[in-house]
Amino acid sequence: QIGALPIPDAPGGGEANVVLFLRDLTEARRLEAMRVDFVANASHELRTPLAALLGFIETLQGPAKEDARAREQFLGIMRTQAQRMTGLIDDLLSLSRIELHEHVAPTRIVDLGRIARQMVEMQAPLARERGVALTVERPDIPLPVLGDRDELLRVVENLVENAVKYGNSGGVVVVSLHRIEGAAGRGAQIELRVRDEGPGIAAEHIPRLTERFYRVDTASSRQQGGTGLGLAIVKHTLNRHRGKLIIESEPGHGTTVRVSLPEHRPDGSETMPAELPP
Ligand code: ADP
């Protein structure tokens, strides 16, 4: 946007005395388009289960008296749809909460290995149900990072859930932890990897997976109870923790998702701005 303001009382007077202002609207337009897209997607995602719910309510209230088994079946579907809406709203709230304090670095010391182990224990029933062997491997050393425990639990939860959901039933999911020495005076990184033996993800999708509502196969994600927000939540949480997310996948050979966070040093120097990611 280019504009000009005349300065009536400027020395010299005349038409030449103007202040020019230049403003690049490209970024503002891009952000506005993203916001509009987000609202449209969120509304659509909420409308789909709501329409199914209303349809079943109308059927149950309609003149055709369903038998007890059919009613039971309808109520089961209605419950699943209502749960889907609750899950979506929870994810939307988490995302906005994380975005709100994305620029405030966490200050508590937590052990990423303990968080991973705890989440793997919590996910054991889902893995058993899907016939997936879920294991965790960690070195016998402390793996300290500065982090928000609940947010990091959520990161591990999203990655393990994806590996179990999209990995082939009957496969193996391995969560492993590593301490990676930093190069030339840089601090070490604590890395968490979640590896599955699923169908993998084609290369063209990988850069878009952290976009809100982006799904490789929307029908299959919905069927698995996915919202398409999991990896967006992971990305924003990692921004806050100055962490990185790398997704490596080869169709037919499974997926490995890697999350790395700066190791907490006793002198707190991992918080030095020089090490902030670009
Ligand atoms: P969702 O709620 O759909 O699981 P996510 O943001 O967690 O949303 O993931 C986005 C999409 O990435 C998923 O819908 C799925 O298509 C794909 N995806 C994520 N993790 C894996 C994986 N381990 N293997 C194959 N596809 C995956």
Side-chain angles (χ1 to χ4, degrees):
Q1 188 187 27
I2 302 178
L5 286 177
I7 312 176
D9 300 328
E15 283 173 23
N17 289 302
V18 293
V19 175
L20 271 180
F21 53 92
L22 302 163
R23 192 148 55 105
D24 182 4
L25 289 181
T26 329
E27 180 60 8
R29 288 220 175 92
R30 196 182 66 82
L31 290 175
E32 177 59 12
M34 269 174 65
R35 197 188 60 78
V36 170
D37 257 13
F38 175 65
V39 173
N41 280 329
S43 313
H44 175 74
E45 293 292 331
L46 283 169
R47 222 168 197 291
T48 312
L50 204 50
L53 269 177
L54 284 172
F56 282 109
I57 290 171
E58 275 165 26
T59 310
L60 287 172
Q61 286 182 326
K65 290 289 158 240
E66 315 297 334
D67 63 38
R69 247 185 68 199
R71 285 174 68 90
E72 209 45 52
Q73 194 192 355
F74 289 175
L75 286 170
I77 302 172
M78 289 167 73
R79 190 190 166 96
T80 310
Q81 298 297 336
Q83 281 168 338
R84 211 174 110 195
M85 290 177 69
T86 311
L88 181 59
I89 290 167
D90 284 349
D91 278 357
L92 286 169
L93 287 174
S94 297
L95 198 54
S96 68
R97 208 174 311 123
I98 294 163
E99 279 186 308
L100 210 60
H101 59 220
E102 192 166 331
H103 302 290
V104 185
T107 51
R108 292 201 169 205
I109 305 165
V110 293
D111 187 290
L112 195 59
R114 281 182 69 170
I115 287 180
R117 192 177 288 278
Q118 201 177 341
M119 187 40 71
V120 165
E121 277 165 21
M122 287 164 79
Q123 298 281 328
L126 174 72
R128 250 197 313 275
E129 191 187 299
R130 305 280 172 117
V132 170
L134 173 62
T135 55
V136 58
E137 295 166 3
R138 63 161 292 177
D140 200 12
I141 50 167
L143 301 165
V145 297
L146 284 184
D148 180 299
R149 191 177 155 277
D150 290 342
E151 287 182 14
L152 291 178
L153 272 168
R154 198 78 202 280
V155 165
V156 185
E157 180 182 22
N158 275 321
L159 302 184
V160 172
E161 233 178 65
N162 280 351
V164 171
K165 279 189 323 195
Y166 305 113
N168 280 330
S169 216
V172 172
V173 170
V174 181
V175 177
S176 61
L177 291 126
H178 311 261
R179 180 183 183 274
I180 311 217
E181 201 59 65
R186 304 198 68 162
Q189 297 284 312
I190 304 295
E191 191 168 293
L192 170 118
R193 296 183 197 152
V194 181
R195 179 164 57 81
D196 69 61
E197 296 178 340
I201 307 163
E204 71 263 26
H205 296 294
I206 293 180
R208 300 199 57 192
L209 293 179
T210 54
E211 288 174 21
R212 292 148 194 221
F213 298 114
Y214 189 85
R215 290 177 278 204
V216 177
D217 177 344
T218 307
S220 120
S221 154
R222 281 211 184 117
Q223 199 199 343
Q224 305 276 9
T227 61
L229 291 174
L231 290 175
I233 293 175
V234 168
K235 186 186 100 177
H236 284 279
T237 306
L238 291 179
N239 284 350
R240 170 164 193 239
H241 286 75
R242 299 181 311 118
K244 281 198 213 112
L245 175 73
I246 298 172
I247 301 173
E248 297 168 334
S249 189
E250 207 187 314
H253 295 279
T255 302
T256 299
V257 181
R258 292 163 48 194
V259 159
S260 69
L261 297 168
E263 178 186 50
H264 172 64
R265 299 189 204 169
D267 62 1
S269 58
E270 79 273 21
T271 56
M272 305 263 282
E275 285 186 30
L276 276 171

